[in-house]
Amino acid sequence: MSRAFGVRAKEATWPLPTIAFLGGTGRMGVHLCAAWSSAGYSVTMCSRSKEKAQAIVDSLLSGKGYHEKASSGSVGEICVPPSPAVGWKLKAGTNTDAAEADMIVLGTRFDAAWPLLEAIAPKIRGQGKLILDITNPHLAWTMGGSSGKKGAALLPKDGPQSSIEVHKAKLDDPTARWAAAYKTVYWSLILPTGPKNPARPGVEVFGDEAALPAVCELVAMHGFQPVVRGGCDVAADFEGGTMSVSRFLGNMKREMFQGEKLSVGW
């Protein structure tokens, strides 16, 4: 059962982390920044152009929501419906500003994420940052590569086969705590008031044990239900935009016998 929107669990004794979203002006970025702000988090929507982010933030904070038609070559529009934003702690920032947050969200295309993280790496290494990786190399155009490549074409031939493992290895910071979530959740299902389809609130989460409590709370705070799959080592099994037969059957089995209701559909 999902918790009430914006209500913390009794066992949550740590302060809510401040959040910076790299790729915040994209589809997942706008929808999640609005949802997390509505749930009580302090969120910075980061972009190469602070002005672009500021225009979106201004629209959201005015209560008008935000709408942006899909650009050529991309799929789906940004459509955050009008919602009261009184008390939201949402602001615009540059990608460099992400270094100041407790939690850094990688929400760009997979091939754009590491250059942005690398640029702030000297400022965040050794600081114990929580890094939430929602990039997905298996989704071409949307979260994969700018050239339309995806999956094996983007991942190292002799290395990790998931985005979180690739980025974790490149940062090489033993103090950082890594987690992944929202890998296959459509942005259109994420609203400032909770899931568009409340009957299917499940969001798969995996990562370092030290990162999971805060990330699971983040998912639950805006009305979804975290479904923990394991550590970073299971990432290759749960990333991917193409539904395999084995994965489909696994999802069906868990839904039938464990009651899982993963967020799927548009």
Side-chain angles (χ1 to χ4, degrees):
M1 180 181 295
S2 299
R3 285 207 309 270
F5 190 93
V7 176
R8 303 196 70 186
K10 293 180 180 179
E11 63 270 18
T13 57
W14 56 88
L16 287 180
T18 58
I19 301 172
F21 200 116
L22 290 170
T25 59
R27 289 180 286 267
M28 285 294 285
V30 175
H31 279 257
L32 280 172
C33 283
W36 292 338
S37 298
S38 181
Y41 286 87
S42 177
V43 183
T44 301
M45 181 185 291
C46 299
S47 175
R48 286 175 295 178
S49 167
K50 184 176 179 179
E51 290 73 23
K52 179 180 181 180
Q54 189 65 60
I56 298 173
V57 167
D58 289 345
S59 181
L60 292 172
L61 292 180
S62 73
K64 298 177 182 178
Y66 182 75
H67 181 268
E68 182 180 318
K69 293 183 178 179
S71 58
S72 176
S74 63
V75 180
E77 61 185 11
I78 300 172
C79 190
V80 178
S83 177
V86 177
W88 285 20
K89 292 173 283 188
L90 176 63
K91 64 181 181 179
T94 65
N95 291 326
T96 303
D97 294 329
E100 304 302 319
D102 301 320
M103 180 188 296
I104 299 170
V105 182
L106 304 182
T108 62
R109 298 187 319 271
F110 169 73
D111 62 352
W114 171 244
L116 294 179
L117 190 60
E118 184 180 30
I120 62 173
K123 294 183 178 180
I124 67 173
R125 282 194 178 103
Q127 301 300 311
K129 298 293 185 180
L130 198 166
I131 303 177
L132 174 60
D133 191 334
I134 70 170
T135 66
N136 196 333
H138 300 278
L139 298 179
W141 295 110
T142 54
M143 296 296 282
S146 58
S147 64
K149 294 180 179 179
K150 62 179 180 178
L154 290 173
L155 294 166
K157 292 182 179 180
D158 299 316
Q161 294 299 296
S162 71
S163 59
I164 187 173
E165 291 174 298
V166 168
H167 294 144
K168 184 177 182 179
K170 286 184 174 182
L171 184 63
D172 191 22
D173 177 8
T175 74
R177 297 163 292 150
W178 286 80
Y182 306 98
K183 291 284 186 175
T184 55
V185 178
Y186 288 113
W187 63 92
S188 59
L189 297 175
I190 301 168
L191 304 179
T193 52
K196 184 176 181 179
N197 182 1
R200 303 197 68 88
V203 174
E204 293 177 318
V205 180
F206 45 88
D208 296 333
E209 186 176 353
L212 292 178
V215 173
C216 286
E217 180 179 42
L218 177 69
V219 172
M221 283 280 281
H222 70 109
F224 284 79
Q225 184 175 359
V227 180
V228 177
R229 295 304 191 201
C232 292
D233 58 310
V234 306
D237 296 327
F238 293 101
E239 279 190 358
T242 303
M243 181 62 73
S244 66
V245 173
S246 61
R247 185 176 178 186
F248 174 78
L249 292 176
N251 287 349
M252 288 297 296
K253 182 179 179 180
R254 286 187 291 268
E255 181 161 329
M256 292 175 62
F257 296 104
Q258 299 176 28
E260 288 186 6
K261 297 291 184 180
L262 295 180
S263 180
V264 295
W266 292 95

